[in-house]
Amino acid sequence: MSIGRQRFSIIPAMAVTDPRLEPRDLQVLCLLGRHTDDLGWCCRSQVKMAKELACGRATVQRALQRLIEAGYVEHLPKQRE
């Protein structure tokens, strides 16, 4: 894969050494960054994220909760039409 085709994301530097976070939390944070739109929002399903990370949905859910509580992720419920 050439460098021009790779998808990059930036994560907050403080997250790397934040004692409130576990290693899986950083993986989830990076995965969210991989799937963000141009405005920084991500609508990736927890099931798809779990499959990509080879873990259970509950693991992703716990990681997301820790990321939200630590202030690295904002959650807005999806509006259904």
Side-chain angles (χ1 to χ4, degrees), residues 7-40:
R7 174 91 173 142
F8 292 93
S9 65
I10 298 172
I11 65 166
M14 293 294 295
V16 176
T17 56
D18 191 328
R20 298 171 293 179
L21 301 182
E22 298 180 9
R24 181 68 78 181
D25 304 345
L26 292 176
Q27 285 186 306
V28 169
L29 184 60
C30 290
L31 190 59
L32 287 172
R34 184 176 172 185
H35 293 288
T36 56
D37 62 19
D38 291 339
L39 298 175

